[in-house]
């Protein structure tokens, strides 16, 4: 092996997945396949593809194109993913883009509720 | 909402998932559930739990304890996960720990093979 | 080169530095040396060293031990770093640990103020 | 505070800084200011700005535009940064872009040398 593969590894991007998401996705009514689908969408958005198609997603998952399309629909209905429109100021064209904001808002909501339940029982810390 | 939840978010760790893993896990014979299981194991190792049990994993996944145990066994047999022994120099006790090295070695191998097939057809770049 | 170096690279941890910190640290009255000092402290905490000494920090920076000690003091006075005490429940011993919480709270505060100034001039988006 | 700031935090990108870089940048003849300059360049590249100007960099650092320009020149001479040309296939235009590849290659080289010196003295591990 030469440095090419190592350099390829070093140059690649990383998706940073918050521990809170990994701890609580099941409480947001998601299963593992849906979690990976959302992580893949995040990866494609990071790479500049703001509206990943079922075909693109299917190529790097075990799901068929139809299953990807169906699961995207389910994620939108579960309010974990939204599809929005944005007007490009220069060209005045409207284009669609995916947003994971609903997922983050649901997760924040969950952590907030869990936190306020926890507040009453908090153990004391000595601060210096 | 107050700053507590925001601070909790800011303080949390992140699992950094390499784009190359997300692009190629299906070529390593993994499905989405196995990918998440390995990411969860990575999260727990990062948190200092070097040998996550099926029970711990089951609590934060859609799988039962038995399914987690079975899948861990499959991952070991597929050479994507290894269970090793290490002797603690201070106590002289031998303890078990999980390692994702086999996964990374298989992924490197895959990228290396893919790279060498690609070499012949590479397009030229003007360097300055 | 063999796979050893590549594996070492793959296995290493990463410090995830938020874009918001990189964009705004100068507004929090920090310079580049202080930023790196805080990132190094974060790295050592992630590795299980909850109270990095000036000596440890000095070994991997261009600063002397005395300069590290002095800068840590400055960061505490600027409320970017705090040194706290915690009682270990098992041993009942009190030990010191470093926390970057004050940094995050100041950054959140800054972003919040900036955000509320921005609210009035926000451009409209078409949502679908 | 409302969810706006939290959502802004959650949505932001992160620069992932390898522990090996933080441990060894001084051995690559870099100081803290140069390290932050390179991290800032990485951040801007991640955001789609492939050739960050001294002015852009200066706005989010303690350095003046002239100092940024000078330091970029030094980093190129130290072989930690390169400025390359690429032809856009669609427009046939040649444009400049920054690359941190030289930094990564130097770091890999350093780790490789350090590793081979270490090989002879490696302690044995019991593998299961």
């Amino acid at each position: 092996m030469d440095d090419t593969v190592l350099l390829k590894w070093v140059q690649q991007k990383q998706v940073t997945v918050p521990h809170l998401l990994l701890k609580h996705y099941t409480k947001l009514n998601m299963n593992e396949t849906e979690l990976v689908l959302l992580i893949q969408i995040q990866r494609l958005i990071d790479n500049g593809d703001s509206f990943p198609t079922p075909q693109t997603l299917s190529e790097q998952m075990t799901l068929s194109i139809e299953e990807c399309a169906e699961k995207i629909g389910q994620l939108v209905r579960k309010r974990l993913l939204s599809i929005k429109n944005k007007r490009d100021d220069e060209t005045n064209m409207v284009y669609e883009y995916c947003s994971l904001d609903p997922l983050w808002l649901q997760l924040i909501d969950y952590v907030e509720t869990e936190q306020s339940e926890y507040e009453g029982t908090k153990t004391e810390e000595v601060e210096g």
Side-chain angles (χ1 to χ4, degrees), chain A:
Chain A
M1 192 183 66
D2 59 40
D3 280 359
T4 320
V5 176
L6 185 39
L7 195 54
K8 192 169 182 175
W9 188 277
V10 170
Q11 291 170 329
Q12 72 172 328
K13 294 184 185 167
Q14 317 256 352
V15 177
T16 51
V17 183
H19 277 210
L20 287 170
L21 178 59
L22 292 170
K23 281 174 75 178
H24 300 310
Y25 69 90
T26 57
K27 284 108 180 183
L28 305 183
N29 255 325
M30 294 163 63
N31 62 27
E32 285 71 25
T33 307
E34 292 167 317
L35 178 63
V36 174
L37 192 64
L38 289 171
I39 292 174
Q40 294 280 26
I41 289 172
Q42 184 63 61
R43 174 177 67 85
L44 291 159
I45 292 174
D46 288 350
N47 272 349
D49 178 2
S50 57
F51 192 65
T53 62
Q55 184 171 350
T56 308
L57 289 161
S58 167
E59 279 163 16
Q60 284 151 1
M61 296 186 70
T62 67
L63 306 175
S64 68
I65 300 179
E66 292 70 30
E67 286 168 325
C68 282
E70 196 189 308
K71 286 204 173 296
I72 290 172
Q74 284 171 2
L75 288 170
V76 171
R77 281 191 296 278
K78 283 190 195 178
R79 298 187 176 281
L80 293 165
L81 181 72
S82 69
I83 295 168
K84 296 189 174 185
N85 300 313
K86 197 173 185 174
R87 189 177 301 276
D88 186 309
D89 289 339
E90 287 183 32
T91 63
N92 210 28
M93 301 254 295
V94 173
Y95 64 92
E96 286 188 309
Y97 69 98
C98 266
S99 167
L100 272 67
D101 287 2
L103 166 67
W104 303 125
L105 287 171
Q106 277 208 39
L107 181 56
I108 289 165
D109 236 44
Y110 176 82
V111 175
E112 217 173 324
T113 311
E114 193 202 27
Q115 181 72 27
S116 51
E117 285 167 4
Y118 170 78
E119 285 299 310
T121 59
K122 207 168 74 173
T123 57
E124 293 296 310
E125 280 183 20
V126 190
E127 303 212 355

